[in-house]
Amino acid sequence: GSPWLGVSFTPLAHIWYRAKVRFSPGFTTTGTLANSANAYKMLSWGWGGSGFDGSGRLEITNTTQYELYENVQSGPSLVGGGSYMNAGNISTEWTDGGWYDYIIEVDHTQPSGVIRLWRAKDGQAPVYQGQTQEKMNDGSMMPLLTSITVGLNFNQVRAPNQNQAVWWGQWEVVDGTQHPNPFGVTQ
């Protein structure tokens, strides 16, 4: 397990989500399980009370690859989302002990929603990593956003001597309808 924080808020159609994260040198997503992905679900958002399950996430998967996506489910069935975006790879995050900024925009104000990602080492200009379109299979609006998590879980079991840490700095969620581009990022 890993520490995580879940926060609920009044339903919103558009959010900007920013978190500062620091990894201990030697951090890794690898573990002891042979048939499990080397993944860490780092930041997520959800839509509780909407009648749907699932969430959107920024995760580190395939050991060092960032991935951005949303899956809207009704029970076990995927009813929306499902587009996965390769959002770059780990570079110095696990070796230099520095803080890193992650900025995610989730916009569900149109039938074809969009999620975007920016990343940067603290103190540097955030770099646009790309976007992916998300929509409901029946053409309805993507669900309203009602929660975020800071940290979530590893897919792997850590080895007994695998000492590593994730530190969480400042994080915030901003209503994107009232405050377009609150972090002044460029595409």
Side-chain angles (χ1 to χ4, degrees):
S2 61
W4 65 277
L5 170 70
V7 177
S8 297
F9 45 83
T10 303
L12 298 168
H14 187 183
I15 64 170
W16 287 81
Y17 178 14
R18 176 179 165 262
K20 288 189 180 280
V21 183
R22 180 177 160 213
F23 300 93
S24 62
F27 186 90
T28 184
T29 59
T30 60
T32 62
L33 301 176
N35 294 321
S36 183
N38 291 328
Y40 176 50
K41 296 169 186 78
M42 194 165 82
L43 300 171
S44 71
W45 54 94
W47 31 81
S50 66
F52 298 110
D53 301 318
S55 64
R57 296 188 191 130
L58 172 63
E59 72 177 60
I60 302 167
T61 189
N62 300 321
T63 309
T64 60
Q65 177 187 5
Y66 286 106
E67 189 171 71
L68 187 68
Y69 65 94
E70 292 180 304
N71 283 338
V72 184
Q73 294 176 238
S74 179
S77 300
L78 182 69
V79 295
S83 296
Y84 290 74
M85 182 187 91
N86 179 342
N89 291 291
I90 295 293
S91 60
T92 59
E93 295 93 314
W94 298 349
T95 57
D96 67 7
W99 287 94
Y100 287 81
D101 284 319
Y102 297 87
I103 299 171
I104 300 168
E105 179 187 17
V106 183
D107 186 351
H108 288 180
T109 60
Q110 303 294 318
S112 220
V114 66
I115 49 179
R116 297 179 176 98
L117 174 66
W118 291 260
R119 293 184 330 200
K121 187 168 184 177
D122 190 34
Q124 297 177 359
V127 175
Y128 182 63
Q129 302 298 307
Q131 71 182 41
T132 187
Q133 299 286 133
E134 301 288 357
K135 63 183 180 178
M136 297 297 287
N137 295 346
D138 66 4
S140 64
M141 299 290 283
M142 290 286 286
L144 293 176
L145 306 155
T146 60
S147 63
I148 58 99
T149 62
V150 178
L152 196 52
N153 69 293
F154 283 98
N155 282 24
Q156 277 287 347
V157 173
R158 320 312 298 148
N161 62 347
Q162 196 168 353
N163 295 325
Q164 59 186 39
V166 177
W167 291 277
W168 296 98
Q170 180 184 10
W171 63 269
E172 58 191 309
V173 176
V174 178
D175 181 340
T177 302
Q178 293 191 26
H179 305 281
N181 199 3
F183 307 115
V185 294
T186 58
Q187 289 186 19

